Amino acid sequence: MFTQAARADLRAELLSAAEGDKMIDAAALFGSAARDAEDRWSDIDLAFGLAPGCDVLEVAARWTHLLYQSHGARAHVDIWSGDALYRVFLMDSTLQIDLSFWPVGTLRATGGPLRLVFGRAADAAPLSKPDLTAVIGMAWLYALHARSSIARGRGLQAVHMLNGLRDQVVTLGCLRAGLPASQGRGVDDLDAPLRRRIEDSLATNLAEEELRRVFAALVSLLLEEAAAAAPEAAGSIEDVLQGLINSFDG
C-alpha cells in the first residue's frame, strides 16, 4: 500500500521527467491536488500539454513504457475526452496514476480546477450543463427493466437494474443540490433525509417482496427528483411511473 510521502515523491519525479521531456510543453495538476484536498486515498492526476508536432499516442506510449519499466505499473486503461487521452495506471502499490496527454494548445481546465506546474494552459472550457431529460430517461429505462426482472424472478438482474436506477436518482439529487454528480462524488454530502432514503433503497436480500419494496422506494424518489429537476419532462411520465409500482400483477 502506498504512503502519502511515496505518492508525493513519485509525483515530483514524474513532473521532473515531464519538464525534461522535449515532447511536453506544459504540465498541470488535476483532481484533489489541484484543490488542496488530498487525503490518504487520493491518486495522482497529471496533465501534459504536448509540444508542436507531437502525437498523443506516441507520447503516451513512451510514458507508458516508463511507468511499467521504472515505477511498477501493472495495468492501464484508456479514456478519451475529445482529442485528449487519459491513460489510467494501476500501480503495484495500489496507487492510481492518471496521465492525460493534450494536443498542442489544448490543455485546459474542463470542469474542475487545474494547477499549472510549468508551461501555459488555454482558457478553461465552459461548463456544460447536464441533459436532465437524458438522466430522467435513463432512470425510467432502468425502472422498466427492474420491474420486468423482478416479475420474472431474476433477482440478481433486478438488483443490477435497481442499482442503475438509484445511480440516476443520485445524479439528479446531486445536481439539484449543486454537488458533484459524476461517479457519485457528491452523494455523501446530500442532506440527511435524502441520504437516509437512498440508504433505505438498498436491497437486503433477493426475496421478491424486498425487491418490490426497493423498487417502490426508488420510483417514488425518481418522481420527486425528476419533478424538481425538469417539471415538464417529469410531468409527461409521472402517471406511467406511478403505475409501475402496482404493475407486477397486471
Side-chain angles (χ1 to χ4, degrees):
M1 181 66 190
F2 65 92
T3 65
Q4 295 183 70
R7 179 183 64 207
D9 288 345
L10 177 54
R11 180 170 54 218
E13 188 174 343
L14 294 174
L15 285 170
S16 178
E19 198 157 12
D21 189 335
K22 294 181 179 180
M23 290 188 165
I24 293 177
D25 270 355
L29 305 179
F30 276 144
S32 56
R35 301 192 306 271
D36 289 324
E38 281 187 303
D39 63 17
R40 173 73 179 82
W41 309 102
S42 297
D43 52 22
I44 293 177
D45 293 292
L46 298 179
F48 297 147
L50 303 192
C54 293
D55 177 73
V56 164
L57 288 175
E58 180 183 352
V59 179
R62 293 174 63 246
W63 277 79
T64 299
H65 179 78
L66 172 68
L67 264 70
Y68 275 96
Q69 294 299 313
S70 302
H71 297 295
R74 293 295 186 91
H76 70 270
V77 62
D78 287 350
I79 303 170
W80 287 91
S81 178
D83 293 329
L85 169 62
Y86 288 75
R87 183 157 287 180
V88 183
F89 295 88
L90 170 66
M91 313 303 288
D92 57 12
S93 64
T94 74
L95 177 65
Q96 174 184 327
I97 298 180
D98 298 355
L99 300 183
S100 58
F101 302 88
W102 299 69
V104 60
T106 66
L107 175 62
R108 68 185 66 209
T110 59
L114 172 152
R115 180 180 297 173
L116 199 61
V117 178
F118 67 85
R120 306 176 74 175
D123 292 338
L127 293 176
S128 58
K129 294 183 177 180
D131 186 345
L132 295 173
T133 302
V135 177
I136 293 169
M138 286 302 302
W140 63 249
L141 186 58
Y142 275 117
L144 287 175
H145 286 283
R147 186 269 307 267
S148 60
S149 298
I150 295 169
R152 291 168 176 153
R154 299 183 63 81
L156 291 173
Q157 184 180 14
V159 168
H160 178 83
M161 295 301 173
L162 290 168
N163 289 343
L165 170 56
R166 187 183 302 101
D167 289 345
Q168 305 309 309
V169 171
V170 165
T171 295
L172 292 173
C174 288
L175 291 172
R176 176 174 56 79
L179 294 168
S182 175
Q183 299 175 340
R185 286 189 173 94
V187 65
D188 288 291
D189 299 314
L190 290 169
D191 61 79
L194 181 53
R195 286 203 316 272
R196 283 195 294 269
R197 293 180 68 186
I198 292 170
E199 291 170 12
D200 288 342
S201 74
L202 297 168
T204 59
N205 58 68
L206 298 181
E208 182 176 342
E209 181 180 2
E210 171 67 358
L211 295 176
R212 288 193 183 195
R213 181 194 69 79
V214 169
F215 181 80
L218 283 171
V219 171
S220 296
L221 268 176
L222 171 59
L223 287 169
E224 294 177 26
E225 291 298 333
E232 185 174 346
S236 66
I237 57 173
E238 180 177 2
D239 58 336
V240 179
L241 291 178
Q242 191 65 52
L244 281 177
I245 296 174
N246 301 315
S247 65
F248 290 97
D249 299 324

